[in-house]
Amino acid sequence: MTFRQLILSNIKGNFQKYSSYFLSSTFTVFIFYLFSAFIFHPSVEGQNIHEIITILIISCEIVIVFFTVFFVLYSNSAFMKSRKKEFGLLKLIGLENKQIAKLVFFEFTIISIGAITVGILFGVLFSKLFFMGINAILQPEIPLAFIVPLKAIMTTIIVFFALFEFITLIGLKEIRNSEIIELIKASKKPKQPPKYSLVLVILGVLLLIGGYALAAVSNLVILFFSMIPILVLVILGTYLLFGQLSTAVLYRLRDSSSLYWKKTNMTTISMLVFKIKDNARILSIATILSAVVTSSMGLLIWFNHFSGVAIRGPQDLIILQKGLDEKENDSYDEVSTLAKEHEVEIKHYDKTVVLPSTVTLRDEKVSPMWIMSESDYNKRAKQMKHVEPLNINDGKAVSISPFDPSEGKNYHPPKYEEKEMKIAIAGGMDTIEIQSSIYEVTFIRGQDGGNAFLLVADDKIFEKWAGVFPRQEQLVLHDYYFGDLTNASNLLTDLMNQKKDATISIYDGFTNYLDIKMGNNLLLFIGLFISMLFFLASGSLIFFKLMTEIDEDRQAFAIMRKLGMTDGEVRRSVSVQMGILFFLPVVVGTVHTFFAFNSARVALGAPTVFNTGIIAIGFYLVFQFVYFFITRAIYMRKILQK
């Protein structure tokens, strides 16, 4: 057998172990190429909107490189340990350490070249879809066309080839210093029963409680300074949880004779004691990756939902006209004509008269207030999905503070708390009974007049006040609701240029929303790729560890089968062990995620983050189940192989 045939034979023989490593490396290269293709796309240059976005994507590239260093370093180390016996046999037949190192180096080089080649090929194939997604989100002046940037290919090849080769060379150090007997006996060394320290168990619990407690009480300012301490506490606590507490719990289960001797529990618990202790580091990493994926995606989904509710105005455009007798230079026909020119659909239009006034709040602060009739309010409420109509008793009114409860209690203005309110009308004062005070956003906020309080009065009262209110002081609201907002910015620009009359003001409810939505969609788009990378890495680490220990497990179950254990009992025991290894990190990671959501709720005023976060956790669980069943099928076939 030639040296080349020996390399190919080794790769073929270890294909099962290499598969998850190859898949994860390929996917990492694939994502890196996609991001590089965007950075080096010729159409990106010269478009200012992309400067920050380019920095964001370069940052993601750096994260991917750091992640790859860790992942390949660990995989390489685990490969070397699992093949010590094989290396010992190769030394017995005459190969020197230098030749074995050369053999392993070429094996990894072939795998690395394969991963880089396949990753770039998939990147090129899917880059058109990637650019289409970027075009849909950013809507650049020059849409990104499908091209294959040579710089992106070269950068990907150079970065990953150098990375893979460098880490492989580091891993070869162990082979060069090994002796034959040490290598051959490595796999036969009996494992010492795992031990745990009660002090470390208590310390692990305290670290987790400390991290959770700090996260629970942190507001936005405290969280800024406590972020790193929280991460350190939780990561160390998680490691001790798997390395110490899990061992203590399993020993406790072993001491329970009624549970331990029931069915296959003895085999399952005994093997889990070793597996969880041996894999404490992997399970801790999988837990942290799981928490990072679910918490980041949950927050992004929440913010996407939040921006649609709280940042987009209840109307898309308001033209405020002062004076009832002024020429209506903001006529619907004129706006409608402009909208047609820009292909913007006007889905609905309302015209409402309001009376400007003021309200004195409990802090003696005088704030602007508009007065509106009940019928006009309810007519407008039908167009605003989140606004409920009012039912006001005769002679009364409802006071409304311009605030959305979903924004968090820290930012809301005070309610009007008196039972009656005095209103200045036509030089005199009138008093009206307040039926209730509520929070509701019914106007576009953030602009002059948009933050006004609202008093919704019984129709008869409003007619009485409007009848004596100076006509030149009354305000007319022209509300516009658009369909697709793609070209709405162009319509607004033309409208602002044409309407420079001092008697009107224009409020738009979509500019900030579109900017924020674009950034958030981009984060979601990029975050999806990074999350998939972390998810694959998390699953691959466990898959990889199982495959490197499969020979040992197969021997153990073979002995059990000789002692009378049926194939069904083997399947049950394997399924329980694998289920715990796959889903324990998800369970612990989900607890971490809930505390992260709680911090976001307190710091960002995000009470609904738990609702949207459940969606991210649900998706993660679905993918984890798929990964589990595929791994279980492969593992089970190997274990039951005779």
Side-chain angles (χ1 to χ4, degrees):
M1 179 179 283
T2 64
F3 193 72
R4 184 185 303 169
Q5 288 172 327
L6 185 60
I7 293 172
L8 295 176
S9 173
N10 275 340
I11 293 176
K12 188 178 177 182
N14 290 295
F15 177 76
Q16 200 83 63
K17 296 176 183 176
Y18 277 127
S19 58
S20 65
Y21 170 77
F22 180 79
L23 177 66
S24 297
S25 299
T26 302
F27 192 74
T28 307
V29 173
F30 164 68
I31 295 178
F32 189 91
Y33 169 78
L34 284 181
F35 290 173
S36 298
F38 172 82
I39 294 168
F40 292 112
H41 197 292
S43 298
V44 171
E45 296 178 4
Q47 300 198 53
N48 294 331
I49 192 173
H50 291 145
E51 287 179 0
I52 296 176
I53 294 168
T54 302
I55 292 172
L56 174 66
I57 291 185
I58 289 174
S59 303
C60 290
E61 297 267 62
I62 295 171
V63 170
I64 291 172
V65 169
F66 273 105
F67 168 79
T68 305
V69 170
F70 158 76
F71 179 74
V72 177
L73 204 58
Y74 171 77
S75 302
N76 194 296
S77 170
F79 264 129
M80 297 303 172
K81 287 179 183 173
S82 69
R83 295 178 64 186
K84 279 188 174 180
K85 182 182 177 183
E86 180 187 335
F87 297 152
L89 293 174
L90 288 173
K91 290 188 75 171
L92 271 181
I93 62 174
L95 267 68
E96 297 177 357
N97 282 356
K98 187 170 64 177
Q99 291 173 306
I100 295 173
K102 187 178 175 184
L103 176 75
V104 174
F105 176 77
F106 279 114
E107 276 183 38
F108 269 96
T109 301
I110 291 172
I111 297 291
S112 302
I113 292 174
I116 293 170
T117 306
V118 176
I120 290 177
L121 283 176
F122 272 100
V124 171
L125 283 174
F126 285 91
S127 58
K128 185 173 183 178
L129 281 176
F130 182 75
F131 290 145
M132 287 171 67
I134 291 285
N135 286 335
I137 293 170
L138 301 182
Q139 299 179 2
E141 296 173 10
I142 306 172
L144 305 184
F146 170 69
I147 63 167
V148 181
L150 185 59
K151 287 182 181 176
I153 292 180
M154 294 308 298
T155 303
T156 307
I157 291 174
I158 292 170
V159 167
F160 279 94
F161 189 75
L163 206 59
F164 288 146
E165 295 300 281
F166 176 69
I167 296 172
T168 302
L169 286 172
I170 293 176
L172 296 179
K173 183 181 175 183
E174 193 172 347
I175 295 177
R176 294 195 192 98
N177 301 328
S178 301
E179 298 297 331
I180 295 178
I181 192 69
E182 180 188 338
L183 292 170
I184 291 179
K185 286 187 174 180
S187 60
K188 292 186 177 179
K189 286 181 181 175
K191 291 183 178 179
Q192 295 298 318
K195 296 179 180 177
Y196 67 91
S197 161
L198 186 59
V199 174
L200 292 179
V201 170
I202 295 172
L203 178 63
V205 173
L206 290 177
L207 287 172
L208 282 176
I209 292 175
Y212 290 160
L214 195 54
V217 301
S218 295
N219 56 29
L220 188 57
V221 177
I222 298 175
L223 191 62
F224 180 78
F225 296 102
S226 63
M227 183 73 75
I228 300 299
I230 290 173
L231 287 174
V232 171
L233 289 174
V234 171
I235 290 172
L236 289 178
T238 303
Y239 179 72
L240 292 178
L241 175 75
F242 286 110
Q244 301 293 322
L245 181 59
S246 62
T247 306
V249 171
L250 287 169
Y251 274 135
R252 179 70 68 178
L253 293 177
R254 197 178 66 172
D255 294 339
S256 172
S257 55
S258 60
L259 177 73
Y260 188 66
W261 296 106
K262 189 176 181 182
K263 297 183 179 179
T264 59
N265 287 352
M266 180 187 72
T267 306
T268 306
I269 293 173
S270 298
M271 295 183 78
L272 275 175
V273 169
F274 288 93
K275 283 185 178 297
I276 293 184
K277 181 75 175 180
D278 290 347
N279 298 313
R281 190 171 51 168
I282 296 302
L283 295 175
S284 306
I285 294 167
T287 299
I288 299 303
L289 288 177
S290 163
V292 168
V293 170
T294 51
S295 56
S296 57
M297 291 306 294
L299 281 171
L300 285 172
I301 293 172
W302 166 78
F303 190 73
N304 198 40
H305 173 75
F306 170 77
S307 63
V309 173
I311 297 178
R312 183 174 181 175
Q315 301 82 29
D316 292 314
L317 183 73
I318 290 180
I319 298 179
L320 179 65
Q321 172 191 332
K322 186 176 180 182
L324 296 184
D325 300 323
E326 296 295 325
K327 178 186 176 183
E328 292 194 358
N329 51 5
D330 51 348
S331 68
Y332 173 80
D333 290 341
E334 190 177 351
V335 176
S336 177
T337 302
L338 272 177
K340 285 179 182 175
E341 289 178 7
H342 292 285
E343 299 180 344
V344 176
E345 179 194 5
I346 298 176
K347 295 181 71 174
H348 189 78
Y349 165 75
D350 273 328
K351 181 178 177 181
T352 310
V353 174
V354 296
L355 309 178
S357 184
T358 57
V359 59
T360 303
L361 302 170
R362 64 169 180 258
D363 56 0
E364 301 300 323
K365 181 181 177 182
V366 178
S367 297
M369 182 178 73
W370 291 347
I371 304 171
M372 182 182 291
S373 72
E374 178 187 2
S375 57
D376 280 342
Y377 180 87
N378 288 338
K379 179 186 66 177
R380 298 174 86 245
K382 288 181 182 177
Q383 304 305 319
M384 297 178 278
K385 294 179 182 177
H386 65 286
V387 177
E388 296 293 329
L390 297 176
N391 186 10
I392 301 175
N393 297 332
D394 292 345
K396 296 185 178 180
V398 171
S399 171
I400 300 178
S401 299
F403 168 70
D404 188 323
S406 69
E407 297 167 17
K409 294 180 180 178
N410 294 334
Y411 311 105
H412 66 82
K415 283 182 181 178
Y416 184 79
E417 296 176 339
E418 302 296 328
K419 293 182 179 179
E420 293 182 338
M421 183 184 291
K422 291 184 177 180
I423 308 292
I425 298 290
M429 297 296 290
D430 203 350
T431 302
I432 189 167
E433 185 179 348
I434 300 301
Q435 180 173 311
S436 62
S437 289
I438 62 174
Y439 287 118
E440 197 62 87
V441 178
T442 58
F443 300 103
I444 298 170
R445 295 182 302 173
Q447 303 172 56
D448 293 340
N451 294 322
F453 283 65
L454 182 64
L455 185 72
V456 183
D458 166 42
D459 284 356
K460 291 181 180 176
I461 297 291
F462 180 82
E463 288 176 11
K464 185 182 80 173
W465 288 347
V468 297
F469 207 96
R471 293 178 62 84
Q472 66 275 16
E473 296 297 326
Q474 296 189 34
L475 304 175
V476 183
L477 299 174
H478 300 269
D479 298 341
Y480 292 87
Y481 301 85
F482 298 144
D484 184 9
L485 294 173
T486 304
N487 299 319
S489 297
N490 297 330
L491 166 65
L492 179 65
T493 303
D494 279 2
L495 208 56
M496 298 286 279
N497 290 334
Q498 291 186 17
K499 294 187 174 301
K500 296 182 178 177
D501 194 315
T503 61
I504 69 166
S505 300
I506 298 178
Y507 303 161
D508 82 271
F510 59 83
T511 300
N512 290 338
Y513 165 72
L514 288 179
D515 290 342
I516 293 171
K517 184 183 177 187
M518 182 188 71
N520 191 55
N521 284 344
L522 183 70
L523 281 175
L524 263 177
F525 191 63
I526 294 173
L528 189 63
F529 284 95
I530 300 294
S531 296
M532 287 174 67
L533 176 65
F534 283 3
F535 167 77
L536 268 180
S538 170
S540 294
L541 288 173
I542 297 173
F543 177 91
F544 183 72
K545 193 66 179 174
L546 286 170
M547 289 300 128
T548 55
E549 295 176 348
I550 197 166
D551 291 337
E552 188 180 326
D553 290 347
R554 187 164 49 202
Q555 289 174 13
F557 278 112
I559 294 172
M560 294 294 176
R561 289 162 77 187
K562 286 180 181 176
L563 294 175
M565 198 174 192
T566 65
D567 286 355
E569 289 172 329
V570 171
R571 287 193 181 89
R572 192 181 309 127
S573 179
V574 169
S575 298
V576 172
Q577 290 180 48
M578 290 185 64
I580 290 174
L581 290 176
F582 263 82
F583 291 101
L584 191 56
V586 179
V587 172
V588 179
T590 301
V591 176
H592 293 351
T593 300
F594 277 126
F595 276 93
F597 287 161
N598 187 63
S599 292
R601 182 186 64 80
V602 175
L604 304 176
T608 58
V609 69
F610 286 98
N611 301 335
T612 51
I614 292 293
I615 298 172
I617 294 170
F619 273 111
Y620 192 90
L621 272 175
V622 170
F623 282 108
Q624 188 75 352
F625 267 109
V626 172
Y627 209 117
F628 167 73
F629 282 116
I630 292 173
T631 306
R632 177 180 170 277
I634 296 171
Y635 189 81
M636 199 71 80
R637 191 172 62 246
K638 288 281 183 183
I639 286 291
L640 295 176
Q641 202 174 45
K642 295 181 180 176

